[in-house]
Amino acid sequence: MSFLQACLFDLDGVIVDTAKYHYLAWRRMANQLGFDLTVEENELLKGISRMESLEKILAIGGVKLDEATKLSLAAEKNSWYLELCQQMSPDDVLPGVREFVEELKTNQIRVGLGSASRNAVLILDRIAMLTYFETIVDGNRVTRGKPDPEIFLTGAADLDVLPASCVVFEDAMAGVQAAKAGGMKAVGVGDPVVLTEADVVIKGFEGLHVQDIKQLFVV
Ligand code: BG6
Ligand code: MG
């Protein structure tokens, strides 16, 4: 029988609302290419890598480009994204997140980060949460993105815990699928209509306690 030993957190849209900045920057790029990007289309970009997102956006707009142009567009989007992130401070950590992670630590539950972003360390530093995570698995460390479980399995291995003892917190469909593919419990953060494959969906971390998460292991 497994029990809660570790929590792995996605970053964008779970710890901090950078998902809105990713959307603004991608939308600006789409607009520049002559088409729009809807909120629904953006949902499919959550959790996946920068280049995979670009490929999906180009497919939406029916735009074909060579590799060099794609790389330069991705770099431009990233510079717009980082410009938007400049305004972020420790106050931007989503409500209840800091308290919940602190409660996990008090209960000797291990804590890791599993994000597709290549900017994860920079963002965590900006919101003063770099020291909260015992391991950081980000887009610079893995070869296969979500929904492949590599990110979360690497996190579990770093923390020396079995996947079945891990709970993943995710706002993206691809991330929930990655957690489930890795044999972990998945807590969706956001809309239950979108995150249908999660074991449970929460609106956010305010008022959430370790005991609530332990319930996922009660059979
Ligand atoms: C994920 C986001 O966390 O990171 C995606 O949900 C984003 O929207 C991906 O594309 C890659 O992020 P970055 O910061 O490396 O461009
Ligand atoms: Mg996310």
Side-chain angles (χ1 to χ4, degrees), residues 186-205:
V187 177
V189 183
D191 187 348
V193 175
V194 175
L195 303 168
T196 48
E197 292 170 49
D199 293 291
V200 65
V201 179
I202 58 171
K203 274 203 173 67
F205 289 87

Side-chain angles (χ1 to χ4, degrees), residues 24 38-39 48 52 54-55 63 70 106-107 127 160 166 168:
L24 285 174
T38 66
V39 172
I48 65 171
E52 283 174 306
L54 176 63
E55 293 293 351
V63 176
K70 285 183 199 170
T106 310
N107 284 269
I127 59 174
D160 204 18
C166 292
V168 167

Side-chain angles (χ1 to χ4, degrees), residues 154-193:
T154 306
D158 283 355
L159 298 175
D160 204 18
V161 294
L162 289 173
S165 299
C166 292
V167 172
V168 167
F169 291 87
E170 258 294 348
D171 71 317
M173 276 184 279
V176 166
Q177 287 164 349
K180 298 311 294 175
M184 303 177 182
K185 307 260 188 244
V187 177
V189 183
D191 187 348
V193 175

